[in-house]
Amino acid sequence: MEVPSLKMNNGRDMPAIGLGTYLGFDQNGVVKSKDKQLRDVVMRAIDVGYRHFDTASVYETEQEIGEAVKMKVEEGVVKREDIFITTKLWNTQHRRTEVAQAINDSLKKLGLDYIDLYLMHWPIGLNADYSHSDVDFMETWRGLEDAQRMGIVKGIGLSNFNKQQLERVLKEGTIKPDAIQIEVHLQNVQKEMVEFCQSEGVVVMGYSPFGSLVARHGSTVEGPKIDDPVLSSIAQKYGKTTPQIVLRWQIERKVVPIPKTVNPKRLEENINIFDFTLTPDEVEKINGFDTHTRYTLPSFWQNHPYYPFDKVDNPIADPFIKV
Ligand code: NDP
């Protein structure tokens, strides 16, 4: 499957779909790949046409992605420059001087000498003990700009920033963000934010692209499911599945979905979306599912000065702090 690409502010191309590699969180912390399962998934993903992989230092998947890329380059299936790696700076390394070290750690795990796209995972800076730090995200952004000038990252961007925070980076930064990764799915269409980002040339990557459609990391949420009648009738028309329709809807909006799967059949299903298009009416119909609902809502950080989302009445306990 040939995947089209989107042009970023730095003039480079981002493949229009990426494979998500966050494996979830349980009582022991971040869920880790067992028996090189993720490495094998990424190798298979490369075979079926994926060229873009989304990771983060906090996901602990960089090493297996790197191993898979190395093996596929050695097999002669791809060249390094055919692959696009997005990874992210964690909140505990927000000082300008810490950014290059964090990137070098990621490069070492990936076994690469540059990263295609490096994102600030959250605008929120934290100390090593996860107490709130007062580092301004503009200081962190300057660290990302330094890294791009050094050439260890080719593109830089943001994740989980709200519109006002992005506006500040656009105003005060010296390099325009190449991309922003935010939660985009049926229940969180983000029409205004997507249009604003795109008007500034900032490519939008949509995380958790299936929304309520499927169970994520073992838990289900309210909302339309795979057998939803509206989505099913569109799916039937094109001979596709509802997950494919939802991914294609993001492609039509020039949002780069990063669906996660470790299942070989679904890996192929999710990339098999480039041989049909939805009509503008169908896109509009799917936009109508919007309920402005977020599933990634770290309310335990909501008293941080740079918390990007609306506060809730009953914040959840911080899973990163062991009591
Ligand atoms: P997704 O919307 O990608 O859903 C993943 C779930 O869907 C998994 O349980 C997967 O199970 C299942 N699935 C995948 N494809 C299909 C299919 N075709 N049919 C039925 N079920 C399917 O959610 P995520 O939250 O994982 O988001 C995707 C990626 O976005 C993450 O992996 C990560 O890279 C990124 N992300 C970034 C965040 C940020 O803060 N920047 C926050 C959250 C995510 P199975 O594996 O068994 O197929």
Side-chain angles (χ1 to χ4, degrees):
M1 183 62 61
E2 271 289 312
V3 174
S5 57
L6 296 175
K7 192 66 80 192
M8 297 182 290
N9 280 324
N10 63 2
R12 292 169 58 90
D13 293 322
M14 180 194 293
I17 189 170
L19 180 69
T21 68
Y22 174 53
L23 302 179
F25 201 91
D26 63 17
Q27 67 280 7
N28 302 314
V30 170
V31 173
K32 298 191 182 69
S33 162
K34 287 193 194 76
D35 304 325
K36 302 283 181 193
Q37 183 196 28
L38 187 71
R39 182 200 65 187
D40 296 345
V41 167
V42 172
M43 288 176 69
R44 197 179 174 108
I46 292 174
D47 286 339
V48 301
Y50 287 82
R51 294 294 178 264
H52 182 178
F53 298 93
D54 181 70
T55 179
S57 58
V58 78
Y59 300 169
E60 299 194 29
T61 55
E62 291 172 318
Q63 190 169 330
E64 289 192 25
I65 294 172
E67 286 170 9
V69 169
K70 184 165 183 271
M71 287 166 90
K72 284 292 157 187
V73 169
E74 280 170 6
E75 278 178 27
V77 176
V78 284
K79 299 199 268 308
R80 162 66 184 99
E81 54 271 30
D82 300 329
I83 299 290
F84 189 100
I85 303 284
T86 298
T87 190
K88 312 182 192 90
L89 175 75
W90 189 235
N91 304 359
T92 50
Q93 289 173 296
H94 267 213
R95 292 196 187 281
R96 183 172 184 173
T97 49
E98 290 171 330
V99 176
Q101 184 54 53
I103 293 171
N104 282 325
D105 289 347
S106 286
L107 285 171
K108 207 163 154 198
K109 288 189 187 129
L110 286 160
L112 300 174
D113 56 11
Y114 70 89
I115 287 160
D116 295 276
L117 179 65
Y118 197 64
L119 307 178
M120 196 187 318
H121 207 144
W122 289 89
I124 292 166
L126 300 172
N127 297 312
D129 65 357
Y130 279 74
S131 57
H132 297 179
S133 96
D134 57 4
V135 182
D136 184 331
F137 59 74
M138 282 314 303
E139 170 178 337
T140 318
W141 183 250
R142 285 182 231 298
L144 268 75
E145 291 178 336
D146 295 339
Q148 180 162 332
R149 289 193 194 95
M150 281 188 265
I152 53 177
V153 302
K154 302 287 184 195
I156 53 176
L158 310 164
S159 172
N160 295 305
F161 276 53
N162 64 32
K163 183 164 177 270
Q164 290 70 31
Q165 292 170 329
L166 169 60
E167 280 170 333
R168 191 170 160 223
V169 176
L170 288 164
K171 189 158 166 266
E172 296 177 27
T174 50
I175 299 179
K176 241 183 163 182
D178 291 303
I180 186 165
Q181 190 174 115
I182 52 176
E183 185 174 334
V184 184
H185 47 69
L186 291 177
Q187 289 83 46
N188 203 32
V189 173
Q190 302 239 40
K191 193 166 187 296
E192 191 197 338
M193 181 68 172
V194 167
E195 283 172 7
F196 174 68
C197 296
Q198 292 176 345
S199 73
E200 293 289 343
V202 179
V203 173
V204 178
M205 298 173 69
Y207 73 68
S208 305
F210 296 123
S212 64
L213 214 59
V214 302
R216 237 164 337 112
H217 313 302
S219 59
T220 51
V221 285
E222 268 181 45
K225 299 282 174 280
I226 281 199
D227 60 356
D228 175 85
V230 172
L231 297 172
S232 298
S233 77
I234 301 175
Q236 213 173 2
K237 173 178 163 191
Y238 295 106
K240 295 286 175 181
T241 64
T242 47
Q244 287 173 320
I245 295 301
V246 163
L247 295 174
R248 182 68 212 188
W249 162 72
Q250 315 223 23
I251 300 294
E252 306 295 358
R253 300 177 68 213
K254 303 209 177 331
V255 171
V256 174
I258 44 171
K260 172 262 169 186
T261 184
V262 291
N263 174 293
K265 194 173 148 283
R266 294 193 278 273
L267 202 55
E268 286 197 47
E269 176 184 348
N270 294 347
I271 201 171
N272 188 8
I273 55 168
F274 295 102
D275 56 356
F276 75 110
T277 54
L278 298 174
T279 66
D281 276 359
E282 287 161 347
V283 171
E284 218 27 68
K285 212 180 225 180
I286 298 174
N287 287 345
F289 281 98
D290 198 4
T291 51
H292 308 282
T293 310
R294 287 180 193 282
Y295 300 121
T296 294
L297 201 64
S299 53
F300 44 87
W301 288 330
Q302 70 178 13
N303 291 325
H304 192 286
Y306 298 129
Y307 184 69
F309 308 141
D310 293 338
K311 290 189 183 190
V312 295
D313 291 337
N314 297 306
I316 54 170
D318 190 338
F320 292 102
I321 296 181
K322 297 265 179 294
V323 281

